Amino acid sequence: MLNIAGFGRHVGALGAAPEDLRAQLLALGVSVRRVNRFIELALLGALRCRANGGDIGADAALYAAAETPMLNDCVKALRSTIAEQRPPTPFEFMNISGNMAGFYIAQQLGIGGPQLAVARRHGGLEAGFELLGISHRSHRRALLGCVDEGVWPLDEQRERLGLAADATLYESSHWFHIDADCATPLARVAALLPQAEYGAIETELRALPGGTRIALHPRLERDAPPLPATLERLPGHDLRGQGACAEALYRYLDSGAAGPWCHLSRGEDGLWSLLRAQPGAS
């Protein structure tokens, strides 16, 4: 399991017009040019993680996860190509062909370790934890984030995410500082590889200690699978679209990480994912 030494986030409800993220970065003493909204969100969350969790270290790895990375720029590029019959601008194309968020975060936080961009629909954070948990990884410290941006018009974004026409939308940037040598971690976290059959997940759930609290992805709240009676089901939260698992883990850590916890989700591909955590002192 991986030691969580710090955490931080930025979450914002989406209104008729985009929130000015550049002004918030300036308030934190950060001035960056020619960056897109995804990068701005990533920077805000990572800076707040450093403020909450202390020095991350120059040798740390950086894993930037997302469920729909660079979605704003992908939509712009498709509109220009299909609706406007013109090629994307070089800047638009650059933003969808590579994730520059890691570069700017590393620059601002002084991180020089390896970097990786990870994307999985309804499982970006879990994918990051899976990769960090692979035994041959040599880095002892890492910064793992999950970033999902808002896209306007909002009615199109709701349709894109399969949400109700009146659903409140959010954008989010959650970051977690992982340190294998942390003497007093806030919690210890591990992810189970995605499973095609719920039976494998149910076996894992039944093996958890009695009283373990379980958070469900909002997609499962109305039609939850059979859960062991030994688990305590947590209430849902407002992030109905993306970033649901990251928000659930953030709330667990922010509550003091008392007792074991897990988060269950199922992607549009039908695969089940389970993230589990326990207090750092366990």
Side-chain angles (χ1 to χ4, degrees):
M1 299 185 81
L2 300 169
N3 293 339
I4 305 296
F7 61 99
R9 70 163 182 179
H10 170 85
V11 172
L14 305 188
E19 180 184 13
D20 189 350
L21 302 180
R22 191 73 57 91
Q24 296 186 46
L25 286 170
L26 286 172
L28 296 174
V30 174
S31 176
V32 287
R33 299 176 59 212
R34 297 186 63 81
V35 298
N36 61 13
R37 191 168 189 84
F38 186 93
I39 294 171
E40 291 173 346
L41 276 170
L43 277 169
L44 276 173
L47 289 166
R48 288 171 180 166
C49 180
R50 180 179 64 178
N52 191 37
D55 179 47
I56 294 169
D59 62 341
L62 177 59
Y63 282 47
E67 299 190 4
T68 52
M70 304 299 188
L71 188 56
N72 251 315
D73 289 287
C74 287
V75 171
K76 289 177 184 176
L78 286 171
R79 281 201 184 111
S80 71
T81 304
I82 298 172
E84 301 170 17
Q85 295 292 297
R86 66 168 178 85
T89 67
F91 186 58
E92 287 172 342
F93 182 76
M94 179 182 68
N95 281 339
I96 63 172
S97 62
N99 187 351
M100 293 293 292
F103 168 80
Y104 287 97
I105 292 171
Q107 183 184 62
Q108 293 296 326
L109 273 63
I111 295 175
Q115 296 185 28
L116 183 66
V118 183
R120 182 195 290 164
R121 187 71 187 271
H122 302 304
L125 184 72
E126 296 96 322
F129 274 114
E130 288 164 21
L131 291 170
L132 282 168
I134 294 175
S135 59
H136 73 259
R137 297 295 183 197
S138 60
H139 34 263
R140 305 288 294 170
R141 293 188 285 183
L143 181 63
L144 168 63
C146 187
V147 183
D148 287 291
E149 63 186 324
V151 182
W152 286 260
L154 296 183
D155 56 344
E156 292 183 7
Q157 179 69 344
R158 291 186 183 95
E159 184 178 359
R160 204 174 280 122
L161 298 177
L163 299 176
D166 60 348
T168 302
L169 295 176
Y170 294 83
E171 58 185 3
S172 60
S173 177
H174 296 82
W175 291 83
F176 306 94
H177 176 199
I178 296 162
D179 186 351
D181 303 314
C182 180
T184 56
L186 303 172
R188 303 178 68 223
V189 178
L192 179 68
L193 289 171
Q195 300 290 326
E197 301 295 332
Y198 181 69
I201 295 290
E202 188 174 23
T203 299
E204 289 286 329
L205 293 176
R206 292 189 180 280
L208 295 173
T212 296
R213 291 176 289 172
I214 181 168
L216 300 180
H217 191 284
R219 287 166 54 88
L220 298 176
E221 287 183 353
R222 291 187 179 180
D223 188 23
L227 299 173
T230 54
L231 301 180
E232 177 187 339
R233 184 168 166 178
L234 291 169
H237 56 72
D238 294 336
L239 266 67
R240 316 302 297 178
Q242 302 163 286
C245 180
E247 174 68 8
L249 177 58
Y250 176 92
R251 292 185 179 212
Y252 169 67
L253 295 169
D254 195 47
S255 70
W261 169 95
C262 62
H263 181 273
L264 179 64
S265 61
R266 190 182 194 189
E268 290 181 343
D269 56 6
L271 296 178
W272 296 90
S273 293
L274 183 67
L275 192 71
R276 57 189 177 89
Q278 63 189 42
S282 299

